[in-house]
Amino acid sequence: MDQKRTKRKHVSMVGIEAMNVFAGTACIDVSKLARHRNLDMTRFDNLLMKEKSVALPYEDPITFAVNAARPIVDALSPAEKDRIEMVITCTESAFDFGKSMSTYCHDLLGLNRNCRLFEIKNACYSGVAGLQMAVNFVLSQTSPGGKVLVIATDVSRFMVEEGGEALSADWSFAEPSGGSGAVAMLVSDRPHVFQIDPGANGYYGYEVMDTCRPSADGDAGDTDLSLLSYLNCCENAFLEYRKRVEGAHFGDSFGYIAYHTPFGGMVKGAHRNMMRKLVKAKPADIEVDFQRRVTPGLIHCQRVGNIMGATAAMSLLSTIDNGDFETPQRIGVFSYGSGCCSEFFSGVAMQAGQARLRALDVKGHLDSRHELSMDDYDRLLEKSRDLRFGTRNMVPDAGFVPQARERLRRPTLFLKQIKEFHREYEWIS
């Protein structure tokens, strides 16, 4: 028996060893979309959005997930790879009521079969729920040296439920902000990229019908109620964090703050609310603070859109990628999932971790996406109906917008076909 793997030891260091994002192969300019949909451009500007990723006919939550995780897994030695003992997929875009996407991801990444495989669904909170479960597995030392691969992956849908008082005319603004993508996080006791503060968590949740997916391919929601719930949870999750972390101060304790980002304007409103109530800051000071501590976390989010369960992780990744870490910085992270559950937690990032993250060149990946015309985008929405929840047999149109495949920077996973419900994939260079 390997005593090194069975002997427990006290471990207080835990966090993200490596992380990466995959935001698809195509995007659209959301200002062009807003004009195409005849939206109120004055209100649209308040979204603080630039681009959003869209899923092509041969892309699905699994292709996003595996493409995000593969560079992380490939960088491991065979021995390190075999220490991945849990794969958690976090999504609200599942396509089967029973089978977990984690099984596909585990297989396509060639991981050890002595591994737990499961999925978490909890609206936009799912990614942080998976992260915290991974953190607690590492801290428990039930398997010393074990690693967890957490992959938050989501694809937006825009077929809205008809009728009912729960819907708002403003719900059309979800289309410009709703994106598609995945963030993969390798969690271990070697937190090179982001060292979690153990026990520094404030969570807050209650039942509210702000947004939901009452059918497999439809969204419904009340945007005003969702905003109010987000603001309420942000404040109360931090207040609970402050109870548990002696001396915590919203204005002074964090070099950066990474918010769940449905769209930048919502984050700006939340930060303004927090600074007014908890710091008693004046408007001019709030604006300076927003630009300094929050904007780095918005940069990538503004180019990908709301990727639901992956968005808080995307904001954290963007913060580390774009912030100044000449000296170590504590980052406060806020996650919100409709329905609802929320959490405020923290950790520390350093320059060495930023260098590891930058080596994956997230900006270069985003720059490499093919921008769709509005005609192509409208054709894509029609084709998306071919790939629905519960699809039994189909072969996606591999020739749709071939320019997207021509811009690939590395081998990329795409959906090949669905045969008797089973999804088959292929790597394209």
Side-chain angles (χ1 to χ4, degrees):
M1 183 178 292
D2 186 349
Q3 294 297 317
K4 291 183 179 179
R5 291 190 64 172
T6 58
K7 184 179 179 181
R8 299 187 186 187
K9 61 180 180 179
H10 176 72
V11 170
S12 60
M13 187 174 291
V14 63
I16 300 173
E17 179 178 332
M19 67 189 308
N20 187 43
V21 63
F22 184 79
T25 55
C27 66
I28 59 172
D29 182 319
V30 293
S31 63
K32 294 178 183 178
L33 174 64
R35 292 185 179 90
H36 185 59
R37 296 284 188 257
N38 296 316
L39 298 181
D40 181 342
M41 294 306 296
T42 302
R43 295 195 57 220
F44 170 79
D45 290 341
N46 292 330
L47 293 179
L48 300 181
M49 288 289 304
K50 295 179 180 178
E51 301 164 339
K52 76 164 193 169
S53 289
V54 294
L56 297 180
Y58 39 84
E59 295 180 307
D60 69 1
I62 289 172
T63 66
F64 282 100
V66 174
N67 287 324
R70 182 173 173 177
I72 294 174
V73 173
D74 284 354
L76 300 174
S77 69
E80 290 173 324
K81 184 176 176 180
D82 277 348
R83 295 312 315 275
I84 297 177
E85 299 180 13
M86 191 182 299
V87 177
I88 310 173
T89 46
C90 313
T91 188
E92 59 180 79
S93 304
F95 45 74
D96 187 279
F97 284 122
K99 183 173 175 62
S100 166
M101 283 192 283
S102 62
T103 59
Y104 283 103
C105 296
H106 174 268
D107 178 62
L108 290 161
L109 291 167
L111 300 180
N112 192 325
R113 289 198 173 189
N114 299 119
C115 192
R116 289 191 178 110
L117 311 173
F118 60 97
E119 195 157 285
I120 295 176
K121 184 271 291 181
N122 206 88
C124 297
Y125 175 65
S126 63
V128 167
L131 172 61
Q132 295 296 350
M133 181 168 289
V135 164
N136 288 321
F137 168 77
V138 174
L139 288 176
S140 74
Q141 285 297 286
T142 54
S143 182
K147 303 176 189 291
V148 183
L149 181 61
V150 180
I151 315 175
T153 179
D154 266 308
V155 174
S156 294
R157 300 182 177 97
F158 300 105
M159 289 176 281
V160 179
E161 291 292 302
E162 296 181 359
E165 296 180 357
L167 292 180
S168 162
D170 295 336
W171 200 241
S172 60
F173 280 84
E175 186 184 9
S177 60
S180 296
V183 176
M185 298 171 279
L186 186 65
V187 180
S188 74
D189 58 6
R190 299 167 61 191
H192 300 309
V193 173
F194 186 62
Q195 183 175 333
I196 298 281
D197 294 326
N201 311 75
Y203 22 88
Y204 190 77
Y206 54 93
E207 197 284 316
V208 61
M209 203 67 174
D210 56 339
T211 74
C212 61
R213 288 188 175 184
S215 62
D217 295 298
D219 291 336
D222 182 326
T223 52
D224 292 335
L225 182 59
S226 188
L227 173 60
L228 291 173
S229 183
Y230 182 104
L231 294 175
N232 183 31
C233 283
C234 189
E235 180 179 351
N236 283 286
F238 176 75
L239 291 177
E240 181 63 21
Y241 174 96
R242 194 170 66 181
K243 288 179 183 177
R244 300 179 181 211
V245 181
E246 184 177 357
H249 185 276
F250 189 80
D252 299 334
S253 296
F254 314 102
Y256 295 101
I257 301 177
Y259 290 86
H260 167 62
T261 307
F263 53 89
M266 192 167 183
V267 169
K268 191 167 189 177
H271 190 68
R272 181 169 55 240
N273 181 65
M274 296 290 282
M275 291 293 289
R276 282 174 177 170
K277 288 188 173 182
L278 302 178
V279 184
K280 309 301 181 186
K282 296 180 179 179
D285 295 329
I286 294 174
E287 178 62 26
V288 170
D289 188 76
F290 175 80
Q291 294 298 331
R292 180 176 63 85
R293 292 200 297 164
V294 181
T295 297
L298 300 184
I299 292 172
H300 293 335
C301 295
Q302 288 176 313
R303 300 190 62 191
V304 176
N306 181 11
I307 47 177
M308 285 75 85
T311 305
M314 182 67 168
S315 180
L316 173 61
L317 182 150
S318 180
T319 300
I320 298 172
D321 200 16
N322 295 294
D324 181 356
F325 293 91
E326 187 173 342
T327 58
Q329 297 292 327
R330 176 159 280 106
I331 304 173
V333 184
F334 174 65
S335 173
Y336 173 81
S338 293
C340 68
C341 187
S342 65
E343 183 163 349
F344 191 99
F345 65 101
S346 63
V348 175
M350 295 180 282
Q351 196 169 49
Q354 183 186 60
R356 285 174 176 263
L357 183 59
R358 285 182 171 177
L360 294 171
D361 192 17
V362 171
K363 181 181 181 300
H365 161 54
L366 297 181
D367 290 343
S368 72
R369 295 170 300 169
H370 171 69
E371 182 184 334
L372 297 180
S373 67
M374 288 300 99
D375 286 342
D376 283 340
Y377 177 67
D378 284 341
R379 287 196 300 123
L380 176 64
L381 294 184
E382 294 175 7
K383 284 183 171 291
S384 68
R385 296 178 180 274
D386 297 334
L387 189 60
R388 301 172 67 101
F389 187 97
T391 298
R392 184 166 187 165
N393 293 290
M394 69 91 69
V395 177
D397 181 2
F400 183 82
V401 191
Q403 303 94 314
R405 292 193 181 215
E406 293 168 2
R407 301 183 64 158
L408 298 180
R409 305 171 75 225
R410 59 175 64 96
T412 303
L413 187 73
F414 291 127
L415 177 65
K416 182 178 180 180
Q417 66 176 339
I418 302 176
K419 188 175 182 180
E420 292 301 321
F421 300 113
H422 187 257
R423 298 195 174 208
E424 298 177 8
Y425 296 88
E426 60 183 346
W427 291 98
I428 302 296
S429 298

